[in-house]
Amino acid sequence: MAFGSFDLKGKVALVTGGNGGIGLGMAEGLAAAGCDVVIWGGNPDKNAAAEAKLKPHGTRVLVQKVDVADEAQVENAFATALKTMGRIDGCFANAGVSQKRAPFHELSTAEWRRVLSVNLDGAFFTLRAAARHMVERAKDGDTAGGRLVGMASTASVHGAARAESYAASKGAMVSVIRALAVEMARYGITANSILPGWIETEMTAAGVADPKFSGNVLPRIPQRRWGQPADFAGIAVYIMSDASSYHTGDSFLIDGAYTIF
């Protein structure tokens, strides 16, 4: 017998950066569990491909071209998503960029701000819009609650050399989420972060293909494999489900035991 709490029919989740990588892995898991999905992404071709991949699950799919670093775009896109889908029950602030690797003493101000504008400002704009909607809904008597999720990284808990702007953005994400967990609890809204380890995506493709890099990293991953976007489907479904209604303020490590090894 299936565990009914994992049935997501009637729920709607927004996944930023959901047109590829971890975001699409989560979106596929959510759609397979019956959840309607809103995808935000900046690349029209990837957006179309993601939509085609999600449609066969039979749930509603809305794909929007959005630059999360642009506050006005976020506000307008969220309003459109609400009008189209009726509600947003979960928000996965997943969109992010990596830092162009450079020694810290050579890191430019422009690069620092580029990374923070997407990874931190973009998450702030997105989570704020979602929280506003969820709080208003709760005040109107809707007891369904809500889910706020921030995509952090193991870079927030171990030393990520030559990636200080990226690490700063992900460490801040964990702290913001913990604060939201406390502040939003009275409205039935949970807030959790997800910390991926070494995952095989477009962002990590160059490193995965580099024999020297792979030779150094893979032996440090106890499962001896790169993580895959599909490895994030289960945690997304759990967080969106009724089964996680009392689970908040946590940081989920999805890293094949890399961090503790």
Side-chain angles (χ1 to χ4, degrees):
M1 181 183 296
F3 183 40
S5 291
F6 291 131
D7 183 353
L8 303 184
K9 290 184 179 66
K11 295 188 177 184
V12 183
L14 164 64
V15 184
T16 70
N19 61 2
I22 292 172
L24 184 55
M26 293 192 297
E28 286 194 87
L30 293 168
C35 191
D36 296 329
V37 182
V38 179
I39 296 295
W40 286 2
N43 184 310
D45 292 335
K46 288 179 63 178
N47 286 353
E51 183 175 20
K53 199 166 188 178
L54 293 170
K55 284 283 190 180
H57 291 291
T59 60
R60 292 186 298 160
V61 179
L62 173 64
V63 177
Q64 299 172 280
K65 184 178 182 298
V66 183
D67 175 4
V68 297
D70 186 317
E71 182 177 6
Q73 285 192 40
V74 169
E75 290 291 334
N76 291 334
F78 195 88
T80 299
L82 271 184
K83 184 176 181 180
T84 304
M85 308 299 272
R87 62 191 290 128
I88 299 294
D89 298 286
C91 176
F92 293 76
N94 166 75
V97 295
S98 60
Q99 177 187 311
K100 296 174 183 176
R101 295 286 174 140
F104 181 68
H105 56 282
E106 297 176 5
L107 178 61
S108 71
T109 301
E111 179 65 2
W112 173 271
R113 288 178 176 162
R114 181 188 72 86
V115 174
L116 271 292
S117 70
V118 176
N119 294 4
L120 189 55
D121 293 349
F124 162 60
F125 298 147
T126 304
L127 292 169
R128 181 181 61 181
R132 183 190 304 127
H133 162 64
M134 293 173 187
V135 168
E136 289 174 353
R137 212 173 61 198
K139 288 181 176 179
D140 287 339
D142 188 329
T143 60
R147 304 288 187 265
L148 301 175
V149 185
M151 187 59 65
S153 166
T154 53
S156 66
V157 293
H158 66 71
R162 297 184 173 223
E164 283 82 4
S165 62
Y166 182 81
S169 69
K170 297 307 183 178
M173 179 75 82
V174 173
S175 296
V176 169
I177 287 294
R178 287 171 65 88
L180 284 172
V182 175
E183 183 175 351
M184 294 291 134
R186 71 194 69 183
Y187 302 109
I189 301 166
T190 68
N192 292 285
S193 57
I194 298 174
L195 282 62
W198 289 108
I199 314 302
E200 190 171 5
T201 66
E202 284 186 23
M203 187 181 289
T204 60
V208 170
D210 183 340
K212 181 178 180 181
F213 180 85
S214 295
N216 288 332
V217 174
L218 276 176
R220 294 184 57 195
I221 303 174
Q223 289 203 2
R224 297 298 189 269
R225 71 172 177 88
W226 303 108
Q228 299 297 321
D231 290 320
F232 294 81
I235 193 62
V237 171
Y238 168 69
I239 290 174
M240 276 297 297
S241 76
D242 294 340
S244 70
S245 62
Y246 201 61
H247 194 162
T248 191
D250 205 352
S251 299
F252 293 98
L253 278 169
I254 311 292
D255 67 348
Y258 174 83
T259 301
I260 62 172
F261 184 47

